[in-house]
Structures are given as structure tokens and as C-alpha cells.
Amino acid sequence: MSVILRARIHLNGLVQGVGFRPFVYRTARRLGLKGFVVNDTTGVVIEVEGSGDDIEGFFHALRNDKPPLAEIFSEEVTYEAPCGYDEFQIRTSHTSGRNDVALLPDIATCRECTAELNSPSDRRYRYPFINCTNCGPRFTIIERLPYDRPNTTMKDFRMCPDCEAEYHDPADRRFHAQPNACPVCGPKVWLLKGDSTTVAEGDEALAGVVSLIGSGGIVAVKGIGGFHLLCDATNDEAVETLRRRKRRSEKPFAVMFKDLRQLLRYAEASGAERALLLSPSRPVVLLKRRPGLLEAVSQGLKSVGAFLPYSPLHTVILEGLDVPVVATSGNLSEEPIVKDNDEALERLAPLVDHILLHDRPIHRRCDDPVVKVVGGKAQMIRRSRGYVPVPLLLPFRLERRVLAVGGHLKNTFAIGFEDRVILSQHIGDMDAPESMDFFEEAIEDLSSIYRFTPDVIAHDLHPGYSTTRWALGREGAEKVAVQHHHAHILSCMAENGLTDRVLGVSWDGTGYGEDGTLWGGEFLLCDGRGYRRLFHLRPLRLIGGEKAVREPRRTALSILFELFGREALEMDLSALRGFKEGELVLLWNAWQKGINSPLSSSAGRLFDALASLMDVVQVCTYEAQAAMMVEDLFDPAVKDRYTYSIRDGVIDLLPAFHEVLRERERTRAATRFMNTLARIIIEVAGLVGEERVCLSGGVFQNSPLSSLVIEGLRKEGFEVFTHRVVPANDGGISLGQAVFGGMSS
Ligand code: ZN
Ligand code: ZN
Ligand code: FE
């Protein structure tokens, strides 16, 4: 007879809402073990009682056969005296003091559910809320932990006997699937006309959406993390109407395709890109568009943001159409995405012809994520639905609990404690007052779900950011300011598990520098604690401050003044033609006297200047437009570059712009310019001699430039680190701020 043992196992990680308890239940029963499994607020607790061999078999299964979405961050095991359990049970969850179980992201419809959705004999045929333990909404429906149905927005839907039976059957795919539902007992959809009269319900409402889109209409559809505005992506008139109503004149729209086959008719996708498109997060992937297609959607860019249906509702709608649809966030311009029915009636009704509502409340707003493949690897552009709030594990423990409020554009914030940082979903640009409400709402939400109170609040050094002002207005916690470009590099270091010294290349649009000027073309020698600014791009005046960010021609003008002085006013250049009579003289005076013309060493602005001088764009309507248009012009056949100089730590590109003025072809100019920037980074890295180089800042979202820099540095023997899981843009700086704030004291 073998000795009976009792093991108590505590697991922390992605263990709730992924079919973990059913898996444990089945495994324990198979091995004849007795005991229980229970969710609590710190993870899953398991007790198994049986022979040593069987318990070992249990651990083996835990390691090797766990559900596909489960991930274990830490495991504690203790052995106690057997207490004579007579069966194995799934126990009701209880709450304990701490809350650090990982809240799960939303997961795209799995293959089995999709098959049922499309099967006429299935009781959930065309049911837009089908899900199981392997898929469905999580982050957007969980009100509090632990993850059980009464703690989700499904709490008011009582399961019918059929659903109930699945829920309690350990052999069923829906065993303990918290959002389990069917047409009898679950959420329902209905379609409203602009004047809020209901015109159809259920399947008829879905068919209504299909025919409205098919006939050129614009429909708001409530999805997983908020509303989308949908229209036929191939109907230029519909797309233009949507642009006008949404007040988004040129920024490309994301397009949802029925399936990969349809997508490939409109865009190219590599193996890595296909894998991303089909991954459980189902991000928008920036792909190379096939020429001549989706022009109105893409507005001149060669790329298209493409994604596949990730909820059954989207699957059913797309299934009925022969065309891809624009699926853009339901909001005005850069405001937060709309999530509630009332809110939609008020704010979206004016933008659309019809609205499709449903009665499963969305607890958290969450926009679609955006990813791009650079050099064969996924790079996050916007980390949101499907990724949030998976914690980022640090290679060290934070000394203090930290709230990092992020930056001003593409804001995310983060909370950090122990060995992890949890980044919020995409909050957006903080200019809109609604963004501030969303920011506060989301901070309150994450704080309450993790029962989190910060010891320290980390914020950007920029005194004018609304997030900085918000941070300084909080009582109780200490405040720490973090320089913008330092935060970028710390973020890249944290993501790559680095703590020792690196050369940080931090290139972006703009960030507040220690000297009160605007930085953005920085080479910083960084370690975990501080940094030294070793090299930077030559500062130029941004004539009109903020205005210069929107108008590339102003940076071009600043460069012309540097090169030719007042004589620039007489030049016959397309960059100057758009200015009104007399305006140029005023701008000359402003430049000369430095009136409202702050100095900036930004790399992003140089892309603007080039775009203006080559007449690619003079006035932008969305952030980073010029940089994206210049990136688009890259031609790998062009290998040469322009002249620049480096003296006393300052890199001067004025000679390059002198040459740009003689250039005839845009493609040549853009490519030579990017070749030049890459060469600068490689040369400076050589001058610094630090073996490890971190690349961060929005400029590194530029694929050809990033590839040139990475390849060039590797060839010279450098170890290069880039972003993968957090954005290189300002959406990633909250991670760097959290590391700095959590470590300093
Ligand atoms: Zn499923
Ligand atoms: Zn049911
Ligand atoms: Fe930045």
C-alpha cells in the first residue's frame, strides 16, 4: 500500500476563464485523486490527495497538458497531512484579501464555436453571442474578481436548462464557461433607425445590418469593447460620407474581412502576418494593400489596416456580405470609443443611419489593437483589446507600488507592483475632455479590481500635459517626473529584461527635455536609474509651436531660414506657396526672434520637413501623417545617402536638406533621407561604443528605417533591442515610467 499525500497548490497567472478548473477536475478524476479546485482573487488553489505517483502525474499534466490559453506565472506547493476527502470537487469561489490574479483579455471566437455558429442544425446557429471556455469576452465583461458569472455583465441572464447542463458537465466544452448563453436565455440584438424606433430584432436585425451596408448605408454596431461604425469598404461614396460625419478627413480606416481568402484579394500577408491575423487577439494588422483597391479607405497610403471577425456578431454580419467593411471605432475623431446603449443613441446617432444594439453591457471600453510586422517580427502599435490586461513580468521586483500616468498622445497608463506592470487599454489622445474622463474611469477601475493604491505616481516631465497636472493634483502618493525619452528607453529595456547600461536611441515627434526645449532625436546612455544625453539632432525652431506639428511646411521653412536666412522668402518652392501674402514675413520675424518658436531636436519633424520640401504633404490632418507618407516612398533599390555632420554631440542634417532641394524624385529623396538617418544611428553607436543598443520612440515604427538600423548595427557587432509587446510610440512610455517610479526612492 502506498502512502497517501495531500498537496496544496497555489497558482498565479492566466488561470481564470480559460477552462482551467475543468481541466484540473478532469485530470484529478482521471488519476483518482480527491480534493478540490477553487478560484480565488490571487489565482487558483488546488488540493489533491492520493498516492505520490498519482500526484506526480498530476503535476506532469499541469505542466504539459494545460489549456491552450492558460499561463502560469508562479506556483507554490505545500504538503499537508491527508484529511480524507471522498471526491474531487470544483468549489465555489471565495474572496481573500489580495487581488492579483491575472484578469484575462477578450479572446476571439474559437474554431469549435465558429463551426457551431455556421451549422444550421446547431442550437446556436447564427447566434451572435456564442462562446465557450476557450473563447469569448473576458476583460470587457468582468466587473470584479474572481471571474464567476455573478461578477460579470452576464449576471442578469439566467441560463436555460440546456445551457445549465453544459455549464455543469465536466465533459462539456462549456463546463464553467461564465458567459455561456444561447438564443433562449442569452443576450439579444435589435436594430434601431436614426430616430430610435426599433425596426428589427434577432436574426432579422442582423440581416437588416447586412442589407443596409450592402446598399451603401453606415451602421453603428455594438461589439465587444465598444461600438464600431461599419460601411462597405469598396463603396467610395459611403466611405466619404463616413469621413465627413466622423470628422476624419484623411486618416486611414481599418477594414474587416470575412476571412483570410477575401483579405488576400485586397492585401498581401506574409506567414507572420497571417498568424497574427488569426491569433486569439485578432489585431488590426498593417498590410501591404494591392494597388487600385480600397483607395478611399487608405487615402494614398500603400498599406491597409486589416483584421478578421473576432466576435460571432461580426462573423454573422460579414458572412452575409461579399465585400469587406470599414470597421472604425464608434466615436468622433480622437474621442474615446462609445460603449453604452444610451451613449450610442446620443453620440453616434448623428453619424449613422442605423444602430445595432444588444443587451449585454460592456463593462470596459476597449479599442481594437493594431500590430505591424517589422523584419518578420510583430511590433505593437496600439496595445488594447485581446492583449490587455496581461501583465508584463519584470526581471526584478519593484520597491514601491506605482501608478504611471503615461504621456499625452496615444495614452495608456500602468500600475506596477511586485514583479509586474499592468498596462491599461488604449485611452487615446488627451486633448479631448472625454479622454480625461475615460482616463480617470479606467484608473479607478484597474485600481479597484486589483485593490491597488500607489505609493508613488510617475508622470511625464512636461508640465503642460493634462496627465502631469492630474498626477500633481493627487494627494497621498509621492510624485516622480520621468523624462519622456528616458521613459521610452526604460520601457524598451524592461520589455527585453535589461537592467544594465545600454545606449538608448530615442527618436520620436516630441517630448519635454531637461533643458526646457523639446527633444526627439536623442542618444541616451541609460541604466536602470538615470541617463546621460550623449548625442542629439541639431535643434530647429518650430515656428508657431503646436502649429508646426500639424504643418510640415513650417519645419521646412525653419530649415530654409537656417540655410538661406531672409532670402528664403523669395524662393519659389511648393512648401511656401500655401502661405498667405505677408504671412511669411511674420514667420520670419517669429523665427528670428524666437517668438512662439521653441527649439526642438525632434527626428519626427525632419520627416515633416522632407515631406513638405518634396511636396508630399504640407498640412497634416492626423498625427505622424508625414512620417507615414515618407515611409511609404521607400525604395530598396536606392542605396546612397545625404551629407551630415557630427560635432560636439550635435548631429546636423542641414547639409542633407541642402541636397534635398536639388532632388527631383520623391522616392529618391525619401529613401536617401532614411538611409541617412540609419547611417547616423550606426555611426553614433560606433562613437559611443556601448555594446547593447535599445531603439524606442515612434520613429521606429517606420519599417524600412528600423530594418536598416537593426541590420546595420548587427553587422557592426551590436546587440539590438526593440519593442515587441508594448508600442515604440507614446503608448509604451507608461511602462518606462512605472519602472522608474517603482524603483526610485
Ligand atoms: Zn469557443
Ligand atoms: Zn441557454
Ligand atoms: Fe514619445
Side-chain angles (χ1 to χ4, degrees), residues 409 460 465 484-485 488 506-511 519-520 696-699 728-731 733:
L409 296 176
D460 195 273
Y465 281 3
H484 189 96
H485 302 95
H488 270 305
S506 194
W507 281 21
D508 63 1
T510 236
W519 294 6
S696 188
V699 166
N729 64 44
D730 286 4
I733 66 170

Coordinates of all heavy atoms in Angstrom, one line a residue, residues 409 460 465 484-485 488 506-511 519-520 696-699 728-731 733, ligand 3:
L409 N -0.2 61.8 -26.1 CA -0.8 61.2 -27.2 C -0.8 59.7 -27.1 O 0.1 59.1 -26.4 CB 0.0 61.6 -28.5 CG 0.0 63.0 -28.8 CD1 0.9 63.3 -30.0 CD2 -1.4 63.6 -29.1
D460 N 5.0 62.3 -16.8 CA 6.0 62.9 -17.7 C 6.5 64.2 -17.1 O 5.9 64.9 -16.3 CB 5.3 63.2 -19.1 CG 6.3 63.4 -20.2 OD1 6.7 64.6 -20.4 OD2 6.7 62.5 -20.9
Y465 N 1.3 68.7 -19.8 CA 0.4 67.6 -20.1 C -0.7 67.5 -19.1 O -0.5 67.7 -17.9 CB 1.2 66.3 -20.0 CG 2.1 65.9 -21.2 CD1 2.2 66.8 -22.3 CD2 2.8 64.7 -21.2 CE1 3.0 66.4 -23.4 CE2 3.6 64.4 -22.3 CZ 3.7 65.3 -23.4 OH 4.5 64.9 -24.4
H484 N 10.7 62.1 -20.8 CA 10.0 61.4 -21.9 C 10.8 60.3 -22.6 O 10.4 59.2 -22.7 CB 9.4 62.4 -22.9 CG 8.5 61.9 -23.9 ND1 7.1 61.9 -23.8 CD2 8.7 61.3 -25.1 CE1 6.6 61.4 -24.8 NE2 7.5 61.0 -25.7
H485 N 12.0 60.8 -23.1 CA 12.8 59.8 -23.9 C 13.5 58.8 -23.0 O 13.8 57.7 -23.5 CB 13.8 60.6 -24.8 CG 13.0 61.6 -25.6 ND1 12.8 62.9 -25.3 CD2 12.3 61.4 -26.8 CE1 12.1 63.5 -26.2 NE2 11.8 62.6 -27.1
H488 N 10.9 56.2 -22.7 CA 10.8 55.3 -23.8 C 11.9 54.2 -23.7 O 11.6 53.0 -24.0 CB 11.2 56.1 -25.1 CG 10.0 56.7 -25.8 ND1 8.9 56.0 -26.2 CD2 9.7 58.0 -26.1 CE1 8.0 56.8 -26.8 NE2 8.5 58.0 -26.7
S506 N 16.4 57.2 -28.8 CA 15.0 57.6 -28.5 C 14.6 58.7 -29.5 O 14.9 59.9 -29.3 CB 14.9 58.1 -27.1 OG 13.6 58.1 -26.6
W507 N 13.9 58.3 -30.6 CA 13.6 59.2 -31.6 C 12.0 59.2 -31.8 O 11.4 58.2 -32.0 CB 14.2 58.8 -33.0 CG 15.6 59.1 -33.1 CD1 16.5 59.4 -32.1 CD2 16.4 59.2 -34.3 NE1 17.7 59.7 -32.6 CE2 17.7 59.6 -33.9 CE3 16.1 59.1 -35.6 CZ2 18.7 59.8 -34.9 CZ3 17.1 59.3 -36.6 CH2 18.4 59.6 -36.2
D508 N 11.5 60.4 -31.7 CA 10.0 60.5 -31.8 C 9.6 61.9 -32.3 O 10.5 62.6 -32.8 CB 9.3 60.1 -30.5 CG 9.7 61.1 -29.4 OD1 10.4 62.1 -29.6 OD2 9.2 60.9 -28.3
G509 N 8.4 62.2 -32.1 CA 7.8 63.5 -32.6 C 8.3 64.6 -31.6 O 8.9 65.6 -32.0
T510 N 8.0 64.4 -30.3 CA 8.3 65.4 -29.4 C 8.2 64.9 -27.9 O 7.4 64.0 -27.6 CB 7.2 66.6 -29.6 OG1 7.9 67.8 -29.8 CG2 6.3 66.8 -28.4
G511 N 9.0 65.5 -27.1 CA 9.0 65.2 -25.7 C 9.7 66.3 -25.0 O 10.7 66.9 -25.5
W519 N 12.7 67.7 -27.1 CA 13.6 66.7 -27.6 C 12.9 65.8 -28.5 O 11.7 65.8 -28.6 CB 14.2 66.0 -26.4 CG 15.1 66.8 -25.5 CD1 15.3 68.1 -25.5 CD2 15.9 66.3 -24.4 NE1 16.2 68.5 -24.5 CE2 16.5 67.4 -23.8 CE3 16.1 65.0 -23.8 CZ2 17.4 67.2 -22.7 CZ3 16.9 64.9 -22.7 CH2 17.6 66.0 -22.2
G520 N 13.7 64.9 -29.1 CA 13.1 63.9 -30.0 C 14.0 63.2 -31.0 O 13.6 62.4 -31.8
S696 N 13.8 53.1 -29.4 CA 12.5 53.3 -28.9 C 12.0 54.7 -29.4 O 12.8 55.5 -29.9 CB 12.3 53.3 -27.4 OG 11.0 53.4 -27.0
G697 N 10.7 54.9 -29.4 CA 10.1 56.2 -29.9 C 9.4 55.8 -31.2 O 9.7 54.9 -32.0
G698 N 8.4 56.7 -31.5 CA 7.5 56.4 -32.6 C 8.2 56.3 -34.0 O 7.7 55.6 -34.9
V699 N 9.4 56.9 -34.1 CA 10.1 56.9 -35.4 C 10.4 55.4 -35.8 O 10.5 55.1 -37.0 CB 11.4 57.7 -35.3 CG1 12.3 57.4 -36.5 CG2 11.0 59.2 -35.3
A728 N 6.4 51.1 -29.5 CA 7.5 52.0 -29.5 C 7.1 53.5 -29.4 O 7.8 54.3 -28.9 CB 8.3 51.8 -30.8
N729 N 5.8 53.7 -29.7 CA 5.3 55.1 -29.6 C 4.9 55.5 -28.2 O 5.2 54.7 -27.3 CB 4.1 55.3 -30.6 CG 2.9 54.4 -30.2 OD1 2.6 54.3 -29.1 ND2 2.4 53.8 -31.2
D730 N 4.3 56.6 -28.0 CA 4.0 57.0 -26.6 C 3.0 56.1 -25.9 O 2.9 56.2 -24.7 CB 3.4 58.5 -26.7 CG 4.5 59.5 -26.9 OD1 5.7 59.0 -27.2 OD2 4.3 60.7 -26.9
G731 N 2.4 55.2 -26.6 CA 1.5 54.2 -25.9 C 2.4 53.3 -25.0 O 1.8 52.5 -24.2
I733 N 5.1 54.4 -23.1 CA 6.0 55.1 -22.1 C 5.5 54.8 -20.7 O 6.3 54.9 -19.7 CB 6.3 56.6 -22.3 CG1 5.0 57.4 -22.2 CG2 7.0 56.9 -23.6 CD1 5.3 58.9 -22.2
Ligands
FE3 FE 7.5 59.9 -27.5

